[in-house]
Amino acid sequence: MANPLKQLAGQTVIYGLSTILARIINFLFVPIYTRLLSPESYGVVTEFMAYIAVLQVVLVLGLETGCFRFANKEGVDSKKVYSNAFVTVFCISATFLALMIAFASPVASLLGYEGYQSCIMYMGGILALDAVTAILFAKLRQENKALKFAIFKTAKIITETAANLVLFLWFPKYCLQIASAQGVEVSSLTSSDVWLLNFIPATPDFSYVIFAIFLSCVVCGLLFIPDYLTLSYRLEPKLLKQMLIYSLPLMVAALPGIMNDFLDRILFRYFDSDPEKWRDQLGLYQAAVKLAVIMNLFIQMFRYAAEPFFFRRSRDNDSKTLYALVQEYFTAFCGLVFLGVILYIDIIALILGPDFREAVGIVPIMLLSYMVLGMLFNVSMWYKLSGKTNMAIWITLAGLAVTAVVIILFMPRFSYWAAAYGHLASYIVMFVISALLGAKYYPIPYRWGRLGIIIGLMFLVYGGAMLLDAKCFANVVIGEASLGLVATKLGLHTLLILIYAAGAWFAIRKLCYAQSFY
């Protein structure tokens, strides 16, 4: 039998190819967005994306994980499982899209975006298409078709990238040329002059980003046309009922979970310290969060491969020992990512436009928050594997309550700092609760001492770097200091990262009880 850890690592890399590409391209667009859009407009993009993230969870109904559960059961036809899930999600998504189109104007007015009802329609299309294709992507993961998964995801990413480039870098210039040729202002152009003005304005704003995402979802949906033909489109009421009984609690649990992740973006409108400029503050916050994208990237890669992996290994005699070992490797690598971003933050921060750099101070908090979130994913597998999915609801509700309390109490005074610390406090609370419940209902032999050593070493190196900078490099600013001083600072930071990597390797490999997995 192939080494399970190597198999998981291999699939993580394949799934991660598309995820890496998506995050990297999204990351590369941050300099464009933060230079061509104002903080206010970028804040609007952030608000729309928060709504999309929350509603995606509702429309999929938790059936992604439900498909993994039932497709691996003996005596169950996996084709029927995915057909049930697809038909159910398609009907709900189509109804939702119809409502979004019918009520686009009232919804836009309610949010304070009169005249942008097209963005509401695009949002409906994004959600409907993403929900439908989510089931098909889950099917690819179940069938271990990681390469096809990556190709389709990559095609979607390339489409979004091309659309962004065309819209931001070419379309405004084209409109200006047409206006100049006609001797009128750009604002006077109509859709009869430029066809694309049916969908977006001539001047770059937040609608460009939303429209580009919509186009990419359309292309992704078209790529799955051959896969649509493999489904039976017949509902099995008994099987569907069992799937929904298992999956809906996951959806209900995921809803406060995703609300927990995006509640801060939604509540900026109501609780920010500057009610007149809350969109600007939200834009600054989102730009800083983007600098922590590397940690979130690795977690997303890992989750794609790890969830089906954990289910497939659940029947092995040594599965729990394996899960514990995975947690250690995961934590160690997250620590490496944390230090890699923080100790090179002087360079990484230059990605942002000058108007967006004032919120960079929250990057360490967000990196640590994402790290805890990734560890929480591992620890929380116990309720999925044991079938006690109802427990997830209470865990995530506890986290949501913490986030809401921190934001409501402290955002009116500390703005985006409260949002960052709210994430960290919430994830820590959920991690502790899940670990305690898991130890009772589905014990996994986590070596908490080893995990503590890894995390402690990470903080020790981080603290050492901060002290070193304060004493020796307090006035070293990238772009202003001499190249020699900058190189010395970065060289010492690199040495500290290598020290951490060596210490984490020693803690896992030399002090490990599960040598059979190497």
Side-chain angles (χ1 to χ4, degrees):
M1 182 180 294
N3 186 315
L5 288 178
K6 289 183 179 179
Q7 181 184 2
L8 175 60
Q11 289 190 348
T12 299
V13 170
I14 296 175
Y15 286 123
L17 289 176
S18 58
T19 308
I20 288 173
L21 184 61
R23 299 292 190 216
I24 289 178
I25 290 178
N26 191 277
F27 191 67
L28 292 176
F29 270 106
V30 170
I32 296 177
Y33 293 154
T34 56
R35 286 169 172 82
L36 296 182
L37 295 177
S38 66
E40 179 181 8
S41 193
Y42 195 50
V44 176
V45 172
T46 304
E47 185 184 20
F48 269 97
M49 296 310 295
Y51 296 142
I52 289 172
V54 172
L55 291 171
Q56 277 178 333
V57 174
V58 177
L59 294 178
V60 179
L61 303 177
L63 284 170
E64 280 182 288
T65 303
C67 286
F68 293 140
R69 171 79 171 183
F70 285 88
N72 281 287
K73 274 192 170 185
E74 293 184 6
V76 177
D77 186 348
S78 62
K79 290 184 178 180
K80 292 182 179 179
V81 170
Y82 284 98
S83 291
N84 272 286
F86 182 85
V87 172
T88 303
V89 171
F90 177 83
C91 292
I92 292 174
S93 299
T95 302
F96 174 81
L97 176 57
L99 291 173
M100 290 289 280
I101 294 173
F103 296 99
S105 293
V107 171
S109 298
L110 181 65
L111 294 175
Y113 302 123
E114 292 85 356
Y116 284 94
Q117 58 266 25
S118 59
C119 283
I120 303 301
M121 297 181 191
Y122 302 151
M123 188 169 71
I126 291 168
L127 286 163
L129 289 166
D130 271 353
V132 169
T133 55
I135 301 301
L136 298 175
F137 275 119
K139 187 171 182 288
L140 294 180
R141 291 162 63 192
Q142 172 64 35
E143 296 170 350
N144 288 320
K145 294 181 179 179
L147 183 58
K148 184 176 180 180
F149 179 100
I151 291 173
F152 281 20
K153 286 287 187 180
T154 302
K156 181 179 180 182
I157 295 159
I158 292 174
T159 302
E160 183 180 344
T161 302
N164 269 296
L165 290 174
V166 169
L167 295 179
F168 278 97
L169 303 182
W170 172 81
F171 184 63
K173 294 180 181 178
Y174 177 72
C175 290
L176 183 60
Q177 291 175 357
I178 297 298
S180 298
Q182 296 181 3
V184 299
E185 296 291 331
V186 172
S187 58
S188 301
L189 293 177
T190 65
S191 58
S192 61
D193 300 311
V194 181
W195 179 72
L196 269 177
L197 291 177
N198 285 295
F199 306 98
I200 53 174
T203 304
D205 64 10
F206 59 88
S207 63
Y208 281 30
V209 182
I210 306 300
F211 185 61
I213 297 172
F214 171 68
L215 291 178
S216 71
C217 291
V218 172
V219 170
C220 185
L222 294 175
L223 289 174
F224 275 109
I225 288 178
D227 296 83
Y228 301 143
L229 303 177
T230 65
L231 300 171
S232 67
Y233 296 98
R234 293 181 180 178
L235 290 176
E236 298 284 340
K238 183 178 179 180
L239 176 60
L240 178 59
K241 181 180 178 180
Q242 293 174 346
M243 292 173 63
L244 291 175
I245 289 174
Y246 176 84
S247 301
L248 285 177
L250 290 178
M251 183 272 284
V252 174
L255 188 57
I258 202 71
M259 281 290 294
N260 195 17
D261 293 340
F262 291 93
L263 183 66
D264 51 352
R265 279 82 159 176
I266 296 172
L267 292 185
F268 260 89
R269 173 186 289 267
Y270 307 102
F271 293 102
D272 188 63
S273 56
D274 190 344
E276 299 299 322
K277 295 184 178 181
W278 67 267
R279 291 186 178 91
D280 297 74
Q281 296 291 84
L282 178 55
L284 295 174
Y285 171 67
Q286 180 66 11
V289 169
K290 286 292 184 182
L291 297 184
V293 72
I294 297 176
M295 182 73 79
N296 209 15
L297 159 67
F298 171 67
I299 292 172
Q300 187 63 50
M301 289 167 51
F302 179 80
R303 290 182 67 173
Y304 273 132
E307 193 168 43
F309 172 86
F310 285 149
F311 277 107
R312 285 196 301 269
R313 293 287 174 178
S314 62
R315 298 175 185 173
D316 296 351
N317 293 330
D318 52 5
S319 61
K320 292 184 178 181
T321 302
L322 177 61
Y323 299 156
L325 188 58
V326 168
Q327 176 75 298
E328 293 177 15
Y329 275 104
F330 177 85
T331 303
F333 193 84
C334 282
L336 189 65
V337 174
F338 176 89
L339 293 173
V341 175
I342 294 304
L343 300 193
Y344 296 109
I345 192 66
D346 291 345
I347 295 176
I348 294 174
L350 297 178
I351 292 171
L352 303 181
D355 295 337
F356 287 80
R357 294 173 191 164
E358 66 180 76
V360 169
I362 68 170
V363 173
I365 305 167
M366 292 307 303
L367 284 168
L368 187 58
S369 299
Y370 288 141
M371 180 175 176
V372 176
L373 179 63
M375 296 174 67
L376 171 63
F377 168 76
N378 282 315
V379 170
S380 297
M381 281 303 298
W382 68 267
Y383 60 72
K384 296 180 181 179
L385 294 168
S386 64
K388 296 182 181 296
T389 52
N390 287 324
M391 303 294 287
I393 299 174
W394 304 108
I395 296 171
T396 50
L397 281 175
L400 179 60
V402 171
T403 301
V405 168
V406 172
I407 289 175
I408 292 171
L409 291 181
F410 298 105
M411 185 175 278
R413 182 176 179 184
F414 298 106
S415 189
Y416 48 73
W417 285 94
Y421 277 109
H423 277 292
L424 180 59
S426 174
Y427 296 154
I428 290 175
V429 168
M430 288 193 293
F431 178 84
V432 171
I433 294 174
S434 186
L436 292 174
L437 291 175
K440 179 179 179 181
Y441 293 106
Y442 195 85
I444 294 175
Y446 293 115
R447 296 188 303 173
W448 298 110
R450 295 291 181 262
L451 292 171
I453 289 173
I454 294 169
I455 296 173
L457 180 61
M458 180 190 78
F459 279 118
L460 184 64
V461 170
Y462 173 55
M466 296 303 101
L467 289 175
L468 179 67
D469 290 352
K471 289 187 176 182
C472 304
F473 304 104
N475 298 316
V476 175
V477 179
I478 302 294
E480 299 178 8
S482 68
L483 184 61
L485 278 175
V486 173
T488 301
K489 177 181 178 180
L490 297 179
L492 291 173
H493 282 188
T494 301
L495 178 61
L496 289 172
I497 292 173
L498 293 175
I499 291 173
Y500 164 80
W505 177 86
F506 181 83
I508 297 174
R509 293 296 294 259
K510 296 302 182 181
L511 303 176
C512 186
Y513 56 78
Q515 299 293 332
S516 61
F517 290 119
Y518 297 125

